[in-house]
Amino acid sequence: MDIGLRRITNEDIVIATMQECWDEMCEDGSVMTSPDLLNEHWIGVTVNNSYAGFFRFASLTSVMAECHVCILKPFRRYIKEMAIKTYEWLLESPIQKLSANIPSFNKGAIKYAEKMGFSRQGENTDSYMKNGKLHSMIQMGINRKDMEDLCHQ
């Protein structure tokens, strides 16, 4: 299996991918907006030359970025391999830590984050509205050493 990465520079690709995953990703009242392709890193992933989705990295500090992942369903079984390839790319940057906030009811996303090496680091209660009900957000993260360890397994 060949995993490829390429920075996305066409917002139509991001929007089309988000539309595929919108109901899973977004809380009540969310409105799709144009992605910030200049100030954030939107990394497209391919599996055997077929587009599989993206990783989005938004800087929170000079050494930490928030990670959002949107992988199309047929390719989700390759999430660990995609993460390792993405970490290899990230390790060439000054990034020391990635964070993610995942709704507590989204067990699938939490499971995928754990497969990517993320660990639970906290909880923000009553912070996400879905189907008219408040939910907690699980705060997850991975540090540079853990990314390096995954890449060298």
Side-chain angles (χ1 to χ4, degrees), residues 4 7 15 30 47 53 66 73 80 93 114 123 127 134 136:
R7 184 151 185 190
I15 291 170
S30 293
V47 175
E66 184 173 44
K73 286 183 181 180
K80 185 174 180 179
S93 77
E114 289 169 342
E123 182 174 351
S127 56
L134 280 173
S136 296

Side-chain angles (χ1 to χ4, degrees), residues 101-104 122-128 135-139:
N101 291 288
I102 303 172
S104 58
E123 182 174 351
N124 192 348
T125 59
D126 298 331
S127 56
Y128 190 90
H135 298 273
S136 296
M137 295 285 279
I138 304 300
Q139 298 164 331

Side-chain angles (χ1 to χ4, degrees), residues 15 18 39 45 51-52 57 60-61 75 83 87 99 112 116 123 126 133 144 149:
I15 291 170
M18 287 172 53
N39 297 306
V45 183
Y51 177 74
F57 301 102
L60 297 175
T61 71
F75 300 99
Y87 295 160
S99 68
Y112 284 124
M116 292 171 53
E123 182 174 351
D126 298 331
K133 183 179 175 195
R144 186 178 190 90
D149 289 348

Side-chain angles (χ1 to χ4, degrees), residues 1-5 45-50 78 81-82 85:
M1 166 189 30
D2 179 45
I3 305 285
L5 301 178
V45 183
T46 59
V47 175
N48 297 329
N49 294 318
S50 294
Y78 305 117
E81 295 85 351
M82 291 179 198
K85 189 74 164 183

